[in-house]
């Protein structure tokens, strides 16, 4: 994401996007806002990972890449669509290029989370 920010394709990184829930857009680069955004971003990622564990428990360990890809797309649609529709965050992703670029880290998160759960997760109840 920071590569895209450096190239000028996106205005904010994920930490700043999450911090936008709590602070005004003009204060997104302050150290306090970045700390709050970082903790909040990790909290959201943890919650999304837990949800994926339950999804894979219900659907099984097969096809983790496909499940992760679809989960990443759904994260993008639900989280970013809901946040923008309800004006939850002060961050604006105004152009379609920014919205499209933000999709790739979400897909990557979904795929790697699903592969990690498939490899190391204990999805059957009562097993060690």
């Amino acid at each position: 994401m920071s590569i895209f920010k450096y190239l000028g394709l996106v205005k904010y990184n994920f930490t700043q996007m999450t911090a936008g829930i709590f602070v005004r857009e003009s204060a997104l680069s302050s150290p306090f806002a970045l700390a709050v955004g970082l903790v909040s971003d990790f909290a959201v990622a943890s919650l999304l990972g837990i949800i994926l564990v339950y999804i894979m428990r219900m659907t099984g360990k097969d096809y983790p890449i496909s499940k992760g890809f679809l989960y990443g797309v759904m994260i993008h649609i639900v989280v970013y669509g809901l946040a923008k529709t309800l004006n939850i965050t002060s961050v604006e992703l105004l152009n379609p290029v920014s919205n499209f670029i933000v999709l790739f880290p979400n897909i990557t998160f979904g795929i790697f989370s699903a592969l990690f759960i498939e490899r190391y997760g204990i999805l059957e109840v009562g097993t060690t």
Side-chain angles (χ1 to χ4, degrees):
M1 187 72 176
S2 60
I3 293 170
F4 299 122
K5 185 177 177 186
Y6 179 75
L7 294 173
L9 296 173
V10 295
K11 190 174 178 181
Y12 302 106
N13 59 30
F14 284 120
T15 302
Q16 290 172 317
M17 288 181 203
T18 308
I21 296 170
F22 304 104
V23 298
R24 294 181 314 270
E25 187 175 8
S26 61
L28 288 177
S29 295
S30 71
F32 176 73
L34 293 174
V36 168
L38 186 67
V39 170
S40 301
D41 196 31
F42 280 124
V44 170
S46 299
L47 177 65
L48 292 171
I50 291 168
I51 292 170
L52 183 58
V53 168
Y54 283 110
I55 290 171
M56 289 189 70
R57 179 178 280 178
M58 289 186 289
T59 62
K61 287 185 173 185
D62 50 343
Y63 308 111
I65 294 174
S66 299
K67 289 177 185 177
F69 179 85
L70 291 174
Y71 189 66
V73 171
M74 291 310 298
I75 288 171
H76 183 74
I77 291 170
V78 172
V79 171
Y80 289 95
L82 185 66
K84 296 315 302 167
T85 302
L86 299 177
N87 290 326
I88 293 172
T89 182
S90 63
V91 172
E92 291 290 329
L93 294 175
L94 297 176
N95 57 10
V97 174
S98 296
N99 286 314
F100 187 68
I101 288 172
V102 171
L103 176 65
F104 290 108
N106 289 317
I107 291 172
T108 304
F109 171 79
I111 289 172
F112 283 115
S113 296
L115 288 170
F116 184 84
I117 292 166
E118 186 261 339
R119 174 74 170 103
Y120 298 108
I122 302 171
L123 300 178
E124 293 82 24
V125 179
T127 60
T128 56

